[in-house]
Amino acid sequence: MEVALEDNNLMEKVLPPDEQEIDVELEAKEKKYLRGEGANLESVKDKKLKTQLASREKLYGKSAKAAAKIEKWLLPASAGYLETDGLEKTWRIKQTDIAKEVDLLSSRNQYDIVLPDFGPYNLDFTASGRHMLAGGRKGHLALVDMMNMNLIKEIHVRETVRDVAFLHNDQFFAAAQKKYSYIYARDGTEIHCLKERGPVARLRFLKNHFLLASVNKIGQLHYQDVTYGDMVASIRTGKGRTDVMEVNPYNGVVALGHSGGTVTMWKPTSQAPLVQMQCHPGPVSAVAFHPNGHLMATSGKERKVKIWDLRKFEEVQTIHGFHAKTLSFSQKGLLAAGTGSFVQILGDSSGGGYSRYMSHPMVKGYQVEKVMFRPYEDVLGIGHSMGWSSVLIPGSGEPNFDSWVANPFETSKQRREKEVHLLLDKLPPETIMLDPSKIGAMRPSRRKEKPTRGEIEAEKEVAIEAAKSVEMKKKTKGRNKPSKRTKKKKELVENAKKTFPELEEKNIAGKKRRIGEDAAAELPTSLKRFARKN
Amino acid sequence: MGGLKRKSSSSAKTLAKSKKKKGPHLPNSILKVIANQKRPLNSDEEDDDVIGSDDEHGGDLYEYEEGVPEEESRKNNRYDRHDNYDYELPEDFEDENVESDDDGGNSDNDEAEGDDDDDDDRHTRMLQSLTGMPSAAFEGESKSKPVLFTEAYPEGEFNPTRDVLEGKNVLTEEDFLAPLEGTPGYQKTSKQIARMRKDTKHVVHAPLPKPQRERLERKAVIGLVDEEFSKWVHLVKKNREAPTVYFNQDVDLGYSTVGAIASEFQPRTEFEKKMASVLNDSEVSEAHRDDGARLLELNEVSMEDHIKDRNHIAKMRSLLFRHELKSKRIKKIKSKTYHRLKNKDLKNSSLGALMDPEMAKEEAMRQEAKRVEERMTLKHKNTGKWAKRMISRGLNVKYDGTKAAIAEQLQMNANLSRKMNSMRDGSSSDESDDEEEFNDGSDEDTPSRLIAKAKEKTLKALEDDEVPNAGLMSLPFMARAMKKKNEEANEEAKRALEEYEEWENSGGENSKKTVNVSGRRVFGATAKVETPKESRKDSDNFYDDSDSDNDMAGIEDNNIEPVRDNASPARNTITDTEKFDDDVAGNPASKTTFDVAMFASGSWKKMTGSKNTESKKASKKTPAPIPQAQDKKGSRDEESEDSESEAEEMVDGILTSASKETFEVPSQAELVNRAFAGDDVLDEFEKDKEEVLNQEVPKPEKPVLVPGWGNWTDIQRKRGISKQMVQKHEAEKKEWEQGLKTRKDARLKHVIISEKVDKKAEKLHTTTLPFPYTSKEVFEHSMRMPIGPEFNPSTIVGELNRPEVVKKTGVIIKPVKFEEVNPNDEVDDEHPRNHQKQKPKKKTSRRQGKVKSK
């Protein structure tokens, strides 16, 4: 058996620098950074544009090449892996076996914190993976520095805590408590009480938009902007109570799992769900998103885990045999599922679909509440009924962190700087959409939705009301007769009314013409000349 | 007379014919053209035959016979009667000029008719016998077209006679020379004329008609202009295609260091030159380089020099001392008047101005003020009362004193109003001076000197035939043309030299007289192309015109050349585009990979992949370790098998009670089905979907009969719903179905994708395509790459975001200068033309080597 964790490069094979291999590798990376193909320049007729685009493409190519080279040479740490030889199976390897193989620093990440009193723990990590927040069901909140295993702050709120979530950095965190949710500072002081949301079941923070999303007991979804405290949207899902909620890190769309087996996806600017998917026949117990945003994993109570492709909204894979109370994707795409006292890690090593990669049985009787991979580490955090534990999952974390995105070794000064940058780069809530790459593109052409009769009537009413409430000017003596005034007012109202039937007629006329055209289009060519032209 | 008669009869004939035949009606002008085309091509005789035969046949099918105009036909008295004067001259009409005009050529004469007839007869007979053709064929030649010419104006200088126009009986040089025979200059002039005749090159041809000449000129000019412009094409193209144009290459702030200034130093004065020669002396520098010993040797001063030096110093000292003494003495003088006078002196003298810049400035200011005042008032320009009076009464002429006073005033005015510093004028007029000098000299010079000068110049011109070895003139055909031209010029120059020699021998005076012919007529375009100076100096008509001739030739040469030149850029552009296409095609058609970060590290993937296959192999080879894994369901694939075993595994990890259930998969499915039998989730979802679809794509309402609406109820009942309504409904339904089909979730039964318009998000999209784009796809592809510093390596960010024009503030943008551009050079943004180094911004440099993946 061979085990390698990202941070120790002891096991790394040193290949002779073969030029060709490097080339192939670079090419693959380049492709990644090119973000898809350029437009087909053959179809461009404008010569000037063609040359412009060609030069642009050249620059893009150059950029991608440079990026690939940087990745190749400046990001040297490679991801960890787990390799077996012979009949060994990776999922048979126990944590104790791994502990023997890895270096001391990594083996420190295997531990169990036993806190039996305050019941199943929820976990959250900061984006850099430096800090962890643990929220015990019975009111225990702990903020831990994972680098040196230092307990930064520990408070007890003496209330049910249903969920915890970090805000944009480790300075603030939110906790969903019995009646309201609260925002606490790093030192445990309560900063805000978010009463508007009601008893919240799940809390998630949208990092790029600075929105704190929550779903409460009666199935209402709230989006609150934490920069200025406004409630951006409060949406009634109409699907009943749920405590399955996850954010798609790619586009900021929030997914809710419902008892009817549907998963709905939401954005703050629309009251109706963007997508509704019937994923399972039974209630959905967990949802998770792949970091690239194209894969979603759902688990139903009927002992099935399904992987979905969100580009096509089609099922990619169904994994039979178990259901997960909690699901989590790692940065490298490993999927962790926790049920009862058992944690299963699935991997898509061959590209053919998720299959067993590792498993971790906990002590019998422990109930896993939450599994979550620690970013930039090969570590899986498990919150359960008896505290929380941490296990090593080789190959789960991204080996090279980007200090401009998330820096585990951030100094306070850097953190402050970063905070300002984050605020400056904050995205407005309307940028949340299924395909954010369409921002800046052409507006999708669509049929104009015909207003229903009721809407038209309502509009008409409003127009009439507006006409009635127009303040008449006070004119000079003699011109200010009440009779004239009433006449004028009547005229105004009539005018307001007039616009509506006219519009309807116009629509009809337009339709008539279209029908005629259609008829002409449907006829065989030989008979077309006889079609009536009107 | 006879001619006229004949003509009239023929016209009568044609009239008669026109009544008989009617071919296609061609306008007269076309007929004429046809006739003209026919005629000059063939030889005279045959041609005439053909025409004669044509006449015989009385017009071909394509001959147009003009009908009688309606006015003349008098068909139905529609027009007033009027007389037709054509061809109706009275019988006794006689043309007076006929006699005087004949010239024995073609035209016949009344008196000589008989003789001519005889002659003609004989001639035709002779022809008949020779050719064997009927006599009728030859009759047309001699008799059909007698020409009668009448002269409208009396013969004169501006109205030459016909034979002169036709080139007959023209006066020749001999005619003019004949009376001169025997006079002293005769020999020479006749010789000259003889040479002139031989000299075919310099024959002066009659100038071309104006339109033709102008056409040629235009052609030549177009060629030249084209050539001139086509030079710029590459430059303009390059600038157009460049993604960025730089306007900061000309920023030259001058010298940056003292050393740079010093290196440019050129000794000008004698002293400086001396110093330079000493400083740059190789001996001295060598001595410096070696060691001090040689330097000492060089340093040695002779005794004489030393004494001289000493004396000089002593003299200077004594002078200084005296000056000191004098100044001391003057300083001691306490008289105020003395000092005042002295100061005044100093001020007035230009020396004072020279000494003290302040004073000079003041002086200049005062002068300027005076000048302005003078210019304003014109006080001294005879505008004063007194001056006017004096001038009006003529006193200024009468009295010398007044005259002098007025002159003085004018002088004063001139002095005052003259601009003070005219330093620049002198320098600017330097260039023109040379020419003037030359011209002046030529005016004053004696003829012999003049000739000598001309000779010298000619020789010089002969000597320097430099062939340029670069640029356009170095092209082979250009070189050939140049050579030809040069040869001609040389020949001419030689001839001129000969002439000069002759003149020198003969004394030159009379030659000068003959040379300057006044009042010559100038035909054609006056040549502006530079002519050798000597030929212009003593130009006679021949040379000048020959010049123009040469010029023509030159132009023709040029005509050929721009055509070639035009062709070459076209070819270049073609190759350019080809290259471009190649580039486009050459790009490896990379497959679209949308997931950027999904499998960031290929190595890991590879490794695990190999491992996986291995493990799979192993699993295949070895019999399944767990007997229960042998499934009842053979149809399941390996993966599910895996999961099965995993389930089992998981079970043996923890609970044993649950494990038993997993073995019986069908029963499990059944169980699941049973467990969820109660709530029909799928149906509910379908209902939901329908609802949503109805909302977003509303279903058209079914037409309903409203009793009494639109018709009587009984009729309604009979007819049912009107056809029109049904049709409309059907169309709506079709539209609705279409709408449903085009939805994204049309084929996905388990998915509802909302297609509601998000009005808030609409501002994030463009409604129209930005200008140069015509296709949405291309535009969106071009938008795919982020260009910010967060997403690109810092080395490329600058290039990606560089504006179209790079310019420093305050830089003056000068018009495009011509520079040689290789048209095949690709526009490269990497290496901007000015090689200006891009200073990376502070921010980006900080982010060195940082890449963010989406």
Side-chain angles (χ1 to χ4, degrees):
Chain A
M1 186 197 77
E2 242 184 296
V3 181
L5 290 174
E6 54 173 56
D7 291 335
N8 63 329
N9 297 327
L10 296 172
M11 304 278 185
E12 203 181 11
K13 275 189 241 168
V14 182
L15 289 166
D18 191 356
E19 289 286 323
Q20 271 192 340
E21 203 166 305
I22 285 169
D23 268 6
V24 169
E25 221 181 309
L26 275 181
E27 233 163 68
K29 276 172 187 166
E30 223 179 295
K31 223 180 233 177
K32 179 180 79 180
Y33 284 111
L34 265 176
R35 293 174 170 85
E37 234 175 313
N40 184 20
L41 288 178
E42 304 275 303
S43 65
V44 182
K45 274 173 192 162
D46 189 354
K47 266 188 185 174
K48 194 177 175 188
L49 179 65
K50 212 175 184 179
T51 41
Q52 275 175 359
L53 285 179
S55 65
R56 236 30 332 226
E57 280 303 322
K58 220 185 227 172
L59 277 183
Y60 291 156
K62 230 198 263 173
S63 167
K65 200 168 220 170
K69 271 183 188 162
I70 286 167
E71 195 194 313
K72 167 88 182 145
W73 301 114
L74 300 182
L75 309 180
S78 58
Y81 57 91
L82 193 61
E83 210 172 52
T84 55
D85 33 45
L87 304 175
E88 253 182 331
K89 302 279 185 198
T90 47
W91 57 89
R92 296 252 172 74
I93 296 163
K94 286 173 184 156
Q95 288 296 315
T96 46
D97 302 333
I98 291 171
K100 278 180 219 158
E101 298 286 332
V102 299
D103 58 339
L104 203 66
L105 211 66
S106 298
S107 65
R108 271 192 200 162
N109 280 324
Q110 290 177 316
Y111 54 83
D112 279 316
I113 306 288
V114 182
L115 298 160
D117 297 337
F118 302 116
Y121 275 85
N122 251 308
L123 301 178
D124 194 22
F125 288 102
T126 52
S128 63
R130 173 81 186 258
H131 296 92
M132 190 186 78
L133 185 67
R137 183 68 146 187
K138 295 192 178 102
H140 179 220
L141 294 176
L143 182 59
V144 187
D145 186 341
M146 300 298 276
M147 199 71 79
N148 44 19
M149 292 307 291
N150 195 6
L151 185 64
I152 293 165
K153 190 67 193 178
E154 191 179 21
I155 51 172
H156 203 284
V157 295
R158 295 163 198 275
E159 231 178 11
T160 312
V161 172
R162 293 197 196 87
D163 201 6
V164 287
F166 271 115
L167 300 193
H168 56 283
N169 58 20
D170 63 308
Q171 299 296 299
F172 303 101
F173 61 89
Q177 293 175 23
K178 190 182 179 190
K179 215 172 172 188
Y180 308 122
S181 40
Y182 295 85
I183 291 177
Y184 296 97
R186 183 183 154 98
D187 54 0
T189 47
E190 178 191 318
I191 292 173
H192 291 295
C193 172
L194 312 172
K195 284 184 181 172
E196 217 176 321
R197 306 157 171 264
V200 169
R202 279 282 172 273
L203 271 176
R204 287 290 176 270
F205 185 71
L206 281 68
K207 286 183 198 80
N208 296 325
H209 307 85
F210 273 79
L211 294 175
L212 186 64
S214 66
V215 62
N216 68 6
K217 270 185 170 175
I218 49 172
Q220 278 179 322
L221 181 62
H222 292 275
Y223 285 92
Q224 191 161 23
D225 195 314
V226 297
T227 54
Y228 62 104
D230 214 12
M231 191 64 83
V232 171
S234 92
I235 300 161
R236 288 202 326 212
T237 58
K239 301 262 178 188
R241 179 176 182 165
T242 179
D243 62 345
V244 180
M245 179 191 192
E246 209 57 58
V247 179
N248 188 342
Y250 170 62
N251 50 18
V253 168
V254 167
L256 297 176
H258 300 281
S259 57
T262 53
V263 170
T264 51
M265 298 190 186
W266 303 85
K267 63 177 177 180
T269 50
S270 142
Q271 288 289 318
L274 282 173
V275 179
Q276 296 181 56
M277 295 170 77
Q278 184 68 40
C279 294
H280 296 276
V284 177
S285 60
V287 174
F289 285 100
H290 195 281
N292 70 10
H294 300 322
L295 284 183
M296 179 176 75
T298 59
S299 162
K301 287 257 167 78
E302 85 282 13
R303 295 173 67 78
K304 267 177 194 165
V305 171
K306 288 182 179 174
I307 313 277
W308 301 83
D309 187 343
L310 289 183
R311 290 169 290 190
K312 295 187 283 182
F313 295 104
E314 272 173 7
E315 193 183 316
V316 178
Q317 195 186 355
T318 309
I319 300 154
H320 298 268
F322 72 99
H323 100 271
K325 190 173 189 309
T326 164
L327 284 169
S328 168
F329 271 103
S330 85
Q331 282 177 321
K332 282 290 188 185
L334 297 183
L335 176 63
T339 357
S341 58
F342 193 77
V343 177
Q344 179 99 1
I345 289 97
L346 306 164
D348 185 17
S349 52
S350 58
Y354 277 89
S355 56
R356 265 186 304 174
Y357 176 57
M358 282 182 78
S359 55
H360 178 65
M362 315 268 309
V363 181
K364 276 179 197 171
Y366 283 15
Q367 289 295 311
V368 173
E369 172 74 15
K370 168 102 178 171
V371 289
M372 195 175 182
F373 283 100
R374 194 176 149 197
Y376 305 106
E377 292 282 351
D378 284 350
V379 171
L380 176 70
I382 306 163
H384 49 80
S385 53
M386 293 292 280
W388 72 81
S389 17
S390 164
V391 292
L392 286 179
I393 309 294
S396 67
E398 171 68 42
N400 300 295
F401 64 85
D402 184 345
S403 63
W404 292 97
V405 175
N407 187 3
F409 305 101
E410 206 169 43
T411 61
S412 58
K413 210 171 183 180
Q414 281 172 333
R415 194 196 61 230
R416 281 180 215 130
E417 182 87 0
K418 179 83 191 302
E419 196 168 15
V420 172
H421 275 291
L422 277 175
L423 283 170
L424 288 174
D425 294 343
K426 187 184 117 177
L427 296 174
E430 54 264 25
T431 55
I432 297 176
M433 54 178 75
L434 275 178
D435 190 358
S437 66
K438 283 279 175 286
I439 289 175
M442 278 279 286
R443 184 181 295 172
S445 64
R446 51 174 63 255
R447 282 167 266 98
K448 203 190 169 192
E449 273 171 42
K450 195 183 148 196
T452 59
R453 190 163 289 176
E455 278 173 347
I456 290 172
E457 260 160 35
E459 234 173 276
K460 195 174 174 182
E461 215 109 293
V462 168
I464 289 167
E465 277 304 306
K468 273 181 187 169
S469 61
V470 165
E471 281 277 315
M472 298 293 281
K473 233 190 242 171
K474 278 183 180 168
K475 286 185 175 172
T476 50
K477 196 179 169 189
R479 290 180 174 228
N480 207 14
K481 283 177 193 162
S483 62
K484 272 192 177 178
R485 284 171 74 96
T486 46
K487 202 181 163 192
K488 184 91 187 168
K489 204 152 227 184
K490 261 185 189 173
E491 254 176 36
L492 279 176
V493 171
E494 279 304 306
N495 279 342
K497 271 183 193 170
K498 254 184 200 171
T499 53
F500 287 91
E502 266 177 15
L503 278 176
E504 269 180 332
E505 271 172 22
K506 260 183 202 167
N507 278 347
I508 287 160
K511 209 158 268 177
K512 257 186 189 171
R513 210 182 303 130
R514 218 173 296 141
I515 289 161
E517 278 165 15
D518 280 358
E522 271 171 23
L523 284 172
T525 44
S526 55
L527 293 179
K528 247 178 197 172
R529 59 188 139 160
F530 300 114
R532 186 176 293 160
K533 283 159 196 160
N534 39 5
Chain B
M1 191 63 206
L4 277 174
K5 263 189 175 174
R6 248 172 246 144
K7 241 185 185 176
S8 67
S9 68
S10 75
S11 73
K13 236 194 232 169
T14 51
L15 272 178
K17 270 175 206 160
S18 72
K19 273 166 193 169
K20 283 176 201 164
K21 301 179 182 181
K22 278 194 179 172
H25 287 238
L26 291 172
N28 268 338
S29 57
I30 295 175
L31 276 179
K32 265 182 206 166
V33 170
I34 292 166
N36 283 338
Q37 272 180 345
K38 273 181 186 171
R39 213 163 279 163
L41 289 172
N42 305 326
S43 68
D44 281 359
E45 261 183 60
E46 285 172 38
D47 187 29
D48 279 2
D49 277 353
V50 168
I51 289 165
S53 68
D54 250 11
D55 272 8
E56 223 83 345
H57 295 301
D60 214 15
L61 191 68
Y62 293 102
E63 204 170 334
Y64 173 69
E65 302 293 332
E66 205 173 2
V68 183
E70 265 188 306
E71 303 98 302
E72 288 166 30
S73 65
R74 297 173 194 167
K75 259 185 183 162
N76 37 17
N77 292 335
R78 277 176 62 197
Y79 299 93
D80 292 339
R81 296 189 74 187
H82 70 93
D83 295 328
N84 191 0
Y85 296 109
D86 291 353
Y87 316 119
E88 286 186 14
L89 289 167
E91 210 62 39
D92 54 341
F93 175 79
E94 269 195 87
D95 199 333
E96 289 164 348
N97 284 342
V98 168
E99 273 187 19
S100 64
D101 261 343
D102 63 351
D103 40 12
N106 309 348
S107 59
D108 297 353
N109 206 349
D110 268 11
E111 293 158 10
E113 206 172 73
D115 289 358
D116 272 358
D117 273 355
D118 282 350
D119 279 351
D120 281 352
D121 274 351
R122 246 184 288 148
H123 184 60
T124 46
R125 252 180 280 131
M126 189 261 286
L127 284 174
Q128 212 175 340
S129 65
L130 278 172
T131 56
M133 283 167 120
S135 62
F138 308 107
E139 261 169 23
E141 179 194 21
S142 56
K143 285 180 184 173
S144 62
K145 279 166 192 170
V147 188
L148 183 75
F149 294 103
T150 56
E151 298 296 336
Y153 303 101
E155 188 186 320
E157 191 185 358
F158 300 107
N159 189 39
T161 53
R162 191 177 163 70
D163 47 359
V164 171
L165 283 174
E166 281 176 355
K168 284 159 194 162
N169 286 344
V170 186
L171 285 174
T172 55
E173 296 91 343
E174 281 89 357
D175 295 339
F176 288 111
L177 277 176
L180 287 176
E181 205 169 339
T183 48
Y186 175 74
Q187 202 78 324
K188 221 183 70 179
T189 31
S190 64
K191 234 190 232 168
Q192 268 181 17
I193 283 163
R195 201 167 56 217
M196 244 159 57
R197 275 211 196 118
K198 271 185 227 157
D199 185 12
T200 50
K201 243 178 219 167
H202 298 281
V203 170
V204 183
H205 295 291
L208 287 167
K210 202 181 173 191
Q212 213 172 328
R213 202 175 64 218
E214 279 175 351
R215 202 179 302 136
L216 279 173
E217 266 170 30
R218 262 179 269 135
K219 220 172 165 186
V221 167
I222 285 170
L224 286 173
V225 168
D226 263 4
E227 187 196 351
E228 192 62 29
F229 280 179
S230 64
K231 264 195 233 163
W232 291 78
V233 167
H234 299 311
L235 199 67
V236 171
K237 192 162 168 268
K238 195 180 151 200
N239 274 340
R240 269 201 196 146
E241 283 175 358
T244 306
V245 184
Y246 299 89
F247 285 115
N248 48 3
Q249 68 258 57
D250 295 335
V251 185
D252 187 12
L253 295 174
Y255 302 110
S256 54
T257 60
V258 181
I261 298 166
S263 69
E264 289 287 298
F265 176 75
Q266 289 270 332
R268 269 169 302 178
T269 62
E270 218 157 90
F271 174 70
E272 280 171 355
K273 275 173 191 164
K274 224 183 215 171
M275 284 296 287
S277 70
V278 172
L279 283 173
N280 299 331
D281 195 7
S282 58
E283 255 185 45
V284 177
S285 57
E286 217 168 83
H288 267 289
R289 227 178 295 130
D290 293 348
D291 57 342
R294 179 105 180 86
L295 215 62
L296 277 176
E297 265 176 50
L298 285 172
N299 248 353
E300 214 173 19
V301 184
S302 69
M303 197 60 188
E304 281 171 22
D305 278 356
H306 181 69
I307 289 164
K308 216 169 146 189
D309 232 31
R310 199 189 57 195
N311 287 345
H312 180 70
I313 287 166
K315 194 180 172 188
M316 292 319 260
R317 266 199 195 137
S318 74
L319 275 174
L320 208 69
F321 177 67
R322 271 185 213 165
H323 186 256
E324 206 174 328
L325 275 183
K326 196 181 172 188
S327 54
K328 260 184 192 169
R329 187 172 60 82
I330 286 166
K331 212 181 176 184
K332 263 183 191 168
I333 295 170
K334 280 176 184 165
S335 159
K336 273 182 183 172
T337 36
Y338 171 78
H339 278 293
R340 205 178 58 231
L341 285 171
K342 196 187 144 208
N343 275 342
K344 207 176 175 184
D345 265 11
L346 202 70
K347 211 179 260 180
N348 280 348
S349 67
S350 57
L351 204 106
L354 278 176
M355 298 284 274
D356 190 4
E358 196 79 357
M359 204 183 277
K361 208 174 170 186
E362 216 171 89
E363 182 69 20
M365 285 294 281
R366 211 183 305 126
Q367 199 73 21
E368 191 65 18
K370 264 187 186 171
R371 182 172 165 258
V372 169
E373 202 187 333
E374 175 60 32
R375 275 158 59 101
M376 267 163 59
T377 58
L378 298 175
K379 199 175 171 187
H380 300 291
K381 223 189 167 188
N382 294 345
T383 48
K385 210 173 172 186
W386 174 80
K388 270 182 187 169
R389 207 170 147 219
M390 287 295 128
I391 289 164
S392 68
R393 294 189 182 180
L395 291 175
N396 58 336
V397 188
K398 209 171 184 182
Y399 301 111
D400 281 351
T402 341
K403 199 178 172 183
I406 285 169
E408 200 186 342
Q409 257 197 0
L410 281 176
Q411 178 64 32
M412 205 181 239
N413 172 56
N415 279 342
L416 281 172
S417 57
R418 193 177 59 216
K419 210 171 180 184
M420 286 311 290
N421 39 1
S422 54
M423 290 281 277
R424 274 175 223 153
D425 298 357
S427 67
S428 71
S429 64
D430 271 358
E431 287 176 311
S432 59
D433 273 358
D434 284 11
E435 288 171 19
E436 279 170 31
E437 192 184 278
F438 183 79
N439 288 340
D440 289 352
S442 71
D443 276 348
E444 289 164 17
D445 274 346
T446 56
S448 62
R449 264 191 73 187
L450 204 146
I451 287 163
K453 214 173 206 172
K455 208 171 150 188
E456 198 182 293
K457 291 252 168 186
T458 322
L459 281 170
K460 209 174 177 184
L462 265 174
E463 272 167 22
D464 51 43
D465 298 335
E466 285 174 9
V467 180
N469 47 6
L472 217 118
M473 300 307 250
S474 69
L475 291 171
F477 59 92
M478 285 302 284
R480 249 178 281 138
M482 281 288 290
K483 208 178 165 187
K484 212 172 167 185
K485 241 183 172 177
N486 275 339
E487 271 170 17
E488 272 175 30
N490 286 349
E491 220 176 280
E492 209 173 352
K494 271 173 196 164
R495 216 174 296 125
L497 268 177
E498 267 177 42
E499 246 167 301
Y500 296 147
E501 272 166 19
E502 258 179 45
W503 280 335
E504 266 184 323
N505 294 340
S506 66
E509 274 114 357
N510 70 5
S511 74
K512 205 177 181 185
K513 269 174 205 163
T514 54
V515 156
N516 289 331
V517 181
S518 64
R520 71 180 165 99
R521 262 188 188 173
V522 178
F523 299 101
T526 50
K528 273 167 191 168
V529 178
E530 58 157 345
T531 56
K533 258 203 174 133
E534 80 289 339
S535 65
R536 177 164 291 177
K537 225 1 16 83
D538 13 59
S539 62
D540 29 334
N541 292 345
F542 314 114
Y543 284 109
D544 214 352
D545 280 4
S546 76
D547 263 350
S548 74
D549 202 10
N550 272 350
D551 192 19
M552 262 331 183
I555 283 162
E556 268 156 22
D557 273 357
N558 286 349
N559 273 348
I560 298 159
E561 174 212 323
V563 170
R564 279 188 199 173
D565 215 11
N566 281 351
S568 66
R571 222 180 305 133
N572 286 336
T573 48
I574 288 162
T575 52
D576 258 7
T577 49
E578 274 170 10
K579 205 169 188 181
F580 175 72
D581 284 349
D582 279 357
D583 265 11
V584 171
N587 276 342
S590 56
K591 265 192 171 179
T592 322
T593 48
F594 283 105
D595 41 351
V596 175
M598 190 172 177
F599 299 114
S601 149
S603 60
W604 177 76
K605 201 173 149 190
K606 214 194 300 170
M607 201 106 60
T608 45
S610 65
K611 174 209 69 185
N612 200 49
T613 48
E614 257 179 68
S615 65
K616 268 191 180 171
K617 257 185 209 167
S619 68
K620 271 181 188 171
K621 269 181 194 170
T622 56
I626 309 133
Q628 285 95 327
Q630 289 169 341
D631 229 72
K632 284 152 204 167
K633 268 182 84 185
S635 63
R636 280 212 170 188
D637 54 14
E638 202 180 64
E639 217 162 73
S640 63
E641 191 182 358
D642 267 3
S643 71
E644 218 81 56
S645 55
E646 154 266 308
E648 170 261 353
E649 186 73 6
M650 175 175 80
V651 161
D652 86 18
I654 341 148
L655 295 168
T656 43
S657 59
S659 66
K660 293 295 179 272
E661 287 172 9
T662 50
F663 298 144
E664 295 166 8
V665 180
S667 70
Q668 175 71 10
E670 258 174 51
L671 272 176
V672 166
N673 282 342
R674 231 175 286 155
F676 297 103
D679 33 84
D680 203 352
V681 189
L682 290 173
D683 270 5
E684 228 166 79
F685 186 78
E686 257 167 46
K687 264 181 212 163
D688 276 0
K689 183 162 182 176
E690 217 166 276
E691 208 172 287
V692 170
L693 290 184
N694 267 339
Q695 241 179 29
E696 292 188 1
V697 189
K699 200 176 180 179
E701 286 171 38
K702 258 191 178 174
V704 213
L705 255 185
V706 186
W709 191 257
N711 220 332
W712 299 109
T713 35
D714 57 329
I715 298 170
Q716 272 187 343
R717 218 174 295 140
K718 245 187 252 167
R719 288 184 184 167
I721 299 162
S722 77
K723 212 174 174 186
Q724 198 187 355
M725 273 165 90
V726 172
Q727 260 182 0
K728 188 179 147 194
H729 173 68
E730 267 171 15
E732 273 175 1
K733 211 176 169 186
K734 202 173 264 176
E735 203 181 341
W736 172 71
E737 275 167 4
Q738 194 64 32
L740 286 186
K741 258 185 214 170
T742 51
R743 280 177 67 92
K744 272 186 212 162
D745 55 4
R747 296 207 177 161
L748 302 167
K749 215 175 169 190
H750 60 281
V751 181
I752 309 167
I753 300 170
S754 162
E755 294 201 337
K756 267 191 179 171
V757 182
D758 187 359
K759 278 182 185 167
K760 276 178 188 166
E762 271 192 340
K763 65 186 170 191
L764 301 171
H765 300 288
T766 58
T767 46
T768 52
L769 275 175
F771 159 59
Y773 294 98
T774 47
S775 122
K776 187 182 158 194
E777 213 172 53
V778 172
F779 169 63
E780 276 167 14
H781 269 290
S782 74
M783 294 282 292
R784 124 199 87 109
M785 281 284 280
I787 55 170
E790 288 90 354
F791 304 95
N792 288 293
S794 55
T795 47
I796 316 290
V797 169
E799 267 179 70
L800 276 171
N801 296 308
R802 196 168 292 150
E804 280 185 358
V805 174
V806 172
K807 173 186 169 299
K808 270 182 194 159
T809 43
V811 168
I812 298 163
I813 296 175
K814 284 171 192 158
V816 189
K817 260 188 220 157
F818 181 74
E819 54 182 301
E820 286 292 326
V821 176
N822 185 7
N824 294 327
D825 259 359
E826 275 181 63
V827 179
D828 205 352
D829 204 29
E830 267 178 291
H831 310 289
R833 256 168 296 139
N834 58 340
H835 303 293
Q836 177 230 10
K837 275 174 194 167
Q838 280 282 316
K839 280 178 194 165
K841 279 177 200 167
K842 210 178 173 186
K843 199 180 168 190
T844 52
S845 68
R846 226 164 30 132
R847 298 192 163 191
Q848 190 83 34
K850 186 201 82 68
V851 185
K852 181 178 176 182
S853 55
K854 224 177 180 184

